[in-house]
Amino acid sequence: STLTMGALTLGFAHKTKSVGDLLDREYSLEWIAVQFFFMSGLGCFVVGSGLRAWVTIACPIFSKASLGMIISATLLCLAFVRDTARYGNDNLLIKIPLQFVKFLFQRAKKDGMFALALVTCLFTWMYIVMNVPHVWTWLAAGN
């Protein structure tokens, strides 16, 4: 979003009817990337905080209350994303990542740096998904 604002102040973008039209026409990848990374960061924070509360808080009442606070904050943040989504409000957890990958593939065909970012992202997510059973086993063992 910072790069987009910089481009706007330099007069890079063409005249449009609305800000939404400008985002759709000139900055579709950037807009969806902001939403995708917000949701991804939120998800990582929630999982990390939830696991930490589950593992480190000995009092079951406080542990459950902590998880409740984390879940309610997550739902509030997702509600904000849903309200600002330009791709409809249904199935945002599926639509936003799919739109992000689609736009990133389109840009990667034109620019090698985006292609490298895409490949790195795909390998990272494959690594994470493949290692979920290991993490679960490790946590279940009481580590």
Side-chain angles (χ1 to χ4, degrees):
S1 66
T2 303
L3 295 175
T4 302
M5 290 304 296
L8 290 173
T9 59
L10 295 174
F12 171 76
H14 305 292
K15 290 186 178 183
T16 59
K17 296 176 185 175
S18 67
V19 174
D21 183 41
L22 175 70
L23 289 173
D24 288 338
R25 194 174 75 200
E26 302 286 336
Y27 302 105
S28 55
L29 174 60
E30 292 83 353
W31 175 248
I32 200 72
V34 167
Q35 290 185 319
F36 174 73
F37 287 120
F38 177 80
M39 284 180 25
S40 298
L42 179 65
C44 290
F45 176 76
V46 166
V47 169
S49 298
L51 288 174
R52 178 140 180 120
W54 178 40
V55 171
T56 61
I57 299 175
C59 176
I61 293 172
F62 190 67
S63 176
K64 289 177 185 174
S66 297
L67 290 175
M69 288 186 284
I70 292 167
I71 290 169
S72 66
T74 302
L75 293 174
L76 180 63
C77 290
L78 288 175
F80 281 123
V81 170
R82 186 173 176 237
D83 280 352
T84 60
R86 301 189 49 73
Y87 301 99
N89 289 337
D90 298 330
N91 301 317
L92 282 183
L93 295 176
I94 296 170
K95 283 183 181 179
I96 288 178
L98 290 178
Q99 285 289 79
F100 175 69
V101 171
K102 175 186 163 188
F103 291 147
L104 192 55
F105 266 112
Q106 289 171 353
R107 187 76 62 91
K109 290 178 186 176
K110 300 174 189 173
D111 188 334
M113 185 63 87
F114 283 94
L116 181 61
L118 178 63
V119 169
T120 305
C121 180
L122 292 175
F123 277 121
T124 301
W125 278 104
M126 284 181 3
Y127 177 79
I128 290 169
V129 170
M130 289 173 39
N131 285 295
V132 166
H134 169 75
V135 172
W136 184 260
T137 303
W138 188 79
L139 286 172
N143 293 320

